[in-house]
Amino acid sequence: MTDSADVRDTAHATDAANSADAADLGGPGRLPLTLRRERAVRAAVAQGLIGAHAPVAGLLDVTGIREDARALHAAFAEATAPGTPVLHAFAVKAAPLVPVLELLRAENIGAEVASPGELALARTAGIEPELTVLDSPAKTTAELREALDLGIAVNADNPQELARLDALLTERDPAAAPPRLGIRINPQVGGGSIEALSTATATSKFGVALRDEGARDWLVRAFLDRPWLTRLHTHTGSQGIPLDLLAAGLTETVALAEEINHKAGRRQIDTLDIGGGLPVNFHSDDRTPDFAAYARLLRREVPVLFGGGYGLVTEFGRALLAKHGTALARVEYTKTAGGRPIAVTHAGAQIAARTVYAPESWPLRIAAYDAEGRPKSGPAVAQDVAGPACFAGDLLARDRALPLLEPGDHTAALDTGAYYFAHHYAYNSLVRPPIYGFVAEGDPSAEGADEVRFAVVREQQGLAEVVAESGGGLRGALVGF
Ligand SMILES: *Cc1c(COP(=O)(O)O)cnc(C)c1O
């Protein structure tokens, strides 16, 4: 992830082999991912979606999202035994946007939620309780009660939470539908390249730490004592976890499920929730590894998972959305400092907090476009691509080789469909940028800016809302207090 040379070289890789082409939506006028993005950038500028009134905007490729949703279904349908129930629950935290959740629901994808806010988004998007899983590590009793009342699946994080479920279940109407409850385990198989996203280290805060002394026996007993506990859940980590480590986490999970079922003398655990965490390639437009490769690897490494004895739940977030988002920004000024050119743009920490604060872990490709939104050409010049926030580290790229940017040009931070522009960071009271979904069709060989349709997914935040969120309605609260 630290090889920024790679990131640079591919800033305009229009020849990107599209590894998910097999799952592409067919039909006339279909454009590959890279061309769709270029058409959308051009059209966003031409249609005035970006400009002085809105100097940064998020663009989401609806076709790409649908393609990956279908690729996910196809990958697991191919790998599992016929008739295996599989729920793909999108990790809402990756793109907490109601229209996006609705789009995924239309592709038969549910929701993995981890807060009352995420649950509210999923419900507003029309995602049914049967397609929803609640996973947070800090669920309150009220949240647990609501989840049980709604019929949402819950994975308990720890023994104290399980005790709360015990108590809630005694209040429950015995005639109600059986709850779908499980326990999250931490298989403690180790971390990946990004510590903050590694959830299976020895000391991770999530789940019951399987290898700790006494934990395995406690888990077995917890299931044997509770016939209603029917699921095991593992999420080994997110970006930076190698596939074999994901598989190792699931190997541990399956072994525990088999042990519990053996001791119970029945298939008490009927569903395994395998989490998300498929890493995304931030270096090119290739969707590698893709869902099919991951499913094949799991079938090889953890065959019991797909043998038909267990229903499956998945919780992919980044792998479904990241590659379908582009953060487009205007270049306001350009300057040099200490001999280095700097482009001051409107996209910084407010849309890319991770990249700004942890640039080594989260390098982003930056594409350069001219004032009309056409790919910018010209000799590559090492320059900093800065954001608008008032601290020196507010840079999306340092010393990056790009055609020399000029005021009025545009930059695009690529692969930002998950955990970036939908995750506003309110530093400097910068407004939340607007987000548009787009569909780009047309003849790949013709210039087709007109054939891009946009739909508003989230409005740009207004200043009145910024003021209201900042105590604007509470004037006088402290003066004379
Ligand atoms: C964050 C998270 C996910 C999604 O992770 P991705 O890397 O975005 O696929 C899934 N499950 C749980 C429990 C999570 O915390």
Side-chain angles (χ1 to χ4, degrees):
M1 288 298 295
T2 50
D3 188 359
S4 53
D6 262 20
V7 176
R8 280 173 210 160
D9 292 343
T10 51
H12 256 116
T14 40
D15 61 341
N18 196 332
S19 66
D21 259 353
D24 277 2
L25 300 180
R30 172 174 126 3
L31 298 172
L33 175 151
T34 311
L35 263 189
R36 292 198 301 267
R37 180 175 66 228
E38 308 229 306
R39 296 278 165 93
V41 166
R42 180 82 202 285
V45 174
Q47 296 180 29
L49 303 185
I50 184 148
H53 60 290
V56 56
L59 306 180
L60 284 170
D61 179 357
V62 172
T63 308
I65 296 169
R66 283 194 192 270
E67 279 171 9
D68 271 352
R70 290 173 194 193
L72 173 59
H73 282 296
F76 278 74
E78 165 86 30
T80 47
T84 305
V86 182
L87 168 64
H88 297 295
F90 174 66
V92 170
K93 75 169 183 274
L97 298 163
V98 169
V100 169
L101 302 180
E102 220 183 342
L103 175 68
L104 290 170
R105 175 63 192 86
E107 295 291 340
N108 281 317
I109 288 185
E112 186 262 358
V113 300
S115 71
E118 289 181 359
L119 175 57
L121 299 185
R123 295 186 72 189
T124 305
I127 297 177
E128 301 86 336
E130 312 83 77
L131 303 188
T132 305
V133 180
L134 173 63
D135 273 346
S136 116
K139 307 172 199 81
T140 63
T141 301
E143 280 176 80
L144 291 169
R145 182 179 288 118
E146 184 187 20
L148 287 174
D149 289 348
L150 289 170
I152 287 168
V154 177
N155 291 311
D157 181 81
N158 59 66
Q160 293 171 2
E161 188 184 332
L162 194 61
R164 288 190 184 179
L165 287 172
D166 285 338
L168 288 169
L169 286 173
T170 60
E171 303 169 1
R172 195 176 157 85
D173 175 0
R180 292 170 300 141
L181 302 173
I183 299 185
R184 177 168 182 173
I185 59 161
N186 168 6
Q188 292 173 300
V189 290
S193 62
I194 304 175
E195 166 119 33
L197 273 65
S198 296
T199 48
T201 60
T203 56
S204 159
K205 75 173 181 181
F206 294 102
V208 176
L210 182 60
R211 296 181 184 182
D212 280 15
E213 205 183 328
R216 195 178 188 95
D217 291 343
W218 179 85
L219 277 162
V220 172
R221 185 43 48 207
F223 275 87
L224 296 182
D225 289 347
R226 294 172 183 77
W228 42 265
L229 264 183
T230 56
R231 300 177 158 215
L232 266 188
H233 173 222
T234 304
H235 171 69
T236 295
S238 290
Q239 190 67 21
I241 306 289
L243 295 190
D244 55 356
L245 198 62
L246 292 173
L250 293 173
T251 298
E252 296 295 323
T253 310
V254 165
L256 178 63
E258 294 282 282
E259 179 182 339
I260 289 168
N261 284 348
H262 179 73
K263 290 190 170 142
R266 66 189 182 101
R267 297 206 72 76
Q268 176 173 344
I269 295 178
D270 60 18
T271 301
L272 298 174
D273 182 335
I274 70 169
L278 184 66
V280 163
N281 168 20
F282 283 94
H283 298 274
S284 79
D285 279 345
D286 288 352
R287 279 176 264 176
T288 47
D290 63 8
F291 293 117
Y294 184 44
R296 277 195 300 272
L297 174 117
L298 290 181
R299 190 165 61 173
R300 196 171 65 235
E301 301 293 322
V302 202
V304 176
L305 200 55
F306 291 147
Y310 297 98
L312 298 179
V313 177
T314 75
E315 303 172 345
F316 296 104
R318 184 176 286 103
L320 274 167
L321 257 292
K323 303 221 65 84
H324 309 304
T326 300
L328 187 60
R330 255 162 57 96
V331 177
E332 195 67 44
Y333 299 110
T334 56
K335 63 210 285 187
T336 60
R340 177 174 309 172
I342 303 169
V344 180
T345 80
H346 285 275
Q350 89 275 34
I351 59 116
R354 281 183 169 160
T355 295
V356 165
Y357 288 111
E360 296 295 320
S361 296
W362 298 104
L364 284 174
R365 292 184 292 153
I366 305 290
Y369 298 92
D370 66 15
E372 271 76 53
R374 288 196 191 83
K376 196 166 168 85
S377 52
V381 178
Q383 54 200 300
D384 284 357
V385 181
C390 295
F391 65 101
D394 187 37
L395 302 171
L396 288 202
R398 291 160 209 255
D399 211 9
R400 184 71 61 86
L402 291 169
L404 190 63
L405 290 160
E406 297 163 279
D409 284 348
H410 297 90
T411 55
L414 308 186
D415 310 319
T416 49
Y419 303 100
Y420 279 101
F421 53 72
H423 292 60
H424 187 70
Y425 171 46
Y427 200 93
N428 275 143
S429 300
L430 289 161
V431 301
R432 278 193 290 272
I435 298 176
Y436 300 92
F438 70 83
V439 171
E441 288 165 336
D443 177 353
S445 61
E447 288 257 316
D450 307 330
E451 295 157 77
V452 183
R453 291 178 289 122
F454 291 97
V456 181
V457 169
R458 186 181 75 188
E459 303 275 3
Q460 176 170 257
Q461 189 177 32
L463 291 182
E465 197 185 336
V466 171
V467 172
E469 278 186 355
S470 306
L474 301 172
R475 283 191 61 198
L478 296 179
V479 180
F481 173 54

